[in-house]
Amino acid sequence: KFLTYTDVVFSSHEVFFYNTDTHPDFSWKDFTELKKFKIGVVKGYTYADVFLKAVKDVPLTVEEAGSSEDNLRKLFSGRVDLIEDDEAVANMLLSQHPEWRAKIRMAVTPVAEFQFHMAFSNKSKALPLLPKVNRVIRELQEQGYMDKLLNRGQ
């Protein structure tokens, strides 16, 4: 064990986004329900193991794009049915494109959740600051700063 981790700084979710014009009532519970959809992904991105397994086993139809922004553009124009992306990344891009925000929604059911921490080397002279860092993390979360930073709740 070489590192000591802080409390969770923030959690992020991989989620599906959909266009309300083409799929106004989209929801899902099981990957087999997604077999009929063309799902946009970003070439070179790492996705949750559970999603990658479904792509292979169900199988799911995926179409690669060069970036999350390209994927949102394709979703907006109806060239893909869904996109699978990080909640914070997609919401940040949607906040920059109000015309997309009017039509594109995030599915309620997440694909996966990831928790992010800061790490200190166990040899670091800063390691004694860990309790203070954890206190500040809690304060920022209680004040809603992390949600604002991640464009949640817009």
Side-chain angles (χ1 to χ4, degrees), residues 19-73:
N19 186 324
T20 57
D21 283 350
T22 53
H23 303 289
D25 300 318
F26 175 77
S27 67
W28 75 287
K29 291 182 181 167
D30 186 82
F31 285 108
T32 57
E33 299 172 64
L34 306 176
K35 198 171 187 170
K36 63 185 176 185
F37 296 108
K38 186 188 303 181
I39 303 169
V41 297
V42 178
K43 184 176 184 167
Y45 274 23
T46 300
Y47 290 93
D49 291 341
V50 65
F51 176 69
L52 296 174
K53 183 175 179 354
V55 168
K56 181 181 171 199
D57 294 348
V58 171
L60 298 177
T61 303
V62 296
E63 183 175 308
E64 293 182 331
S67 69
S68 292
E69 189 166 10
D70 290 344
N71 250 347
L72 284 163
R73 193 173 287 111

Side-chain angles (χ1 to χ4, degrees), residues 2-145:
F2 300 101
L3 298 172
T4 298
Y5 295 91
T6 64
D7 292 344
V8 174
V9 177
F10 70 93
S11 296
S12 187
H13 300 92
E14 278 186 20
V15 291
F16 290 112
F17 286 83
Y18 62 97
N19 186 324
T20 57
D21 283 350
T22 53
H23 303 289
D25 300 318
F26 175 77
S27 67
W28 75 287
K29 291 182 181 167
D30 186 82
F31 285 108
T32 57
E33 299 172 64
L34 306 176
K35 198 171 187 170
K36 63 185 176 185
F37 296 108
K38 186 188 303 181
I39 303 169
V41 297
V42 178
K43 184 176 184 167
Y45 274 23
T46 300
Y47 290 93
D49 291 341
V50 65
F51 176 69
L52 296 174
K53 183 175 179 354
V55 168
K56 181 181 171 199
D57 294 348
V58 171
L60 298 177
T61 303
V62 296
E63 183 175 308
E64 293 182 331
S67 69
S68 292
E69 189 166 10
D70 290 344
N71 250 347
L72 284 163
R73 193 173 287 111
K74 288 165 70 172
L75 181 61
F76 182 75
S77 68
R79 292 174 37 215
V80 294
D81 298 301
L82 307 170
I83 64 168
E84 206 272 35
D85 210 328
D86 178 82
E87 171 188 20
V89 171
N91 279 328
M92 183 268 306
L93 290 166
L94 287 170
S95 73
Q96 296 172 359
H97 296 275
E99 71 280 10
W100 295 351
R101 178 61 98 187
K103 291 184 177 187
I104 296 175
R105 297 286 180 271
M106 182 176 75
V108 174
T109 305
V111 175
E113 178 182 19
F114 298 96
Q115 295 184 333
F116 294 86
H117 304 259
M118 294 190 309
F120 289 86
S121 165
N122 288 333
K123 295 180 180 179
S124 171
K125 293 179 182 177
L127 191 57
L129 296 174
L130 185 63
K132 184 175 183 176
V133 170
N134 283 333
R135 183 178 49 77
V136 171
I137 289 169
R138 278 191 303 279
E139 288 172 3
L140 292 172
Q141 289 167 339
E142 289 168 3
Q143 295 167 5
Y145 180 75

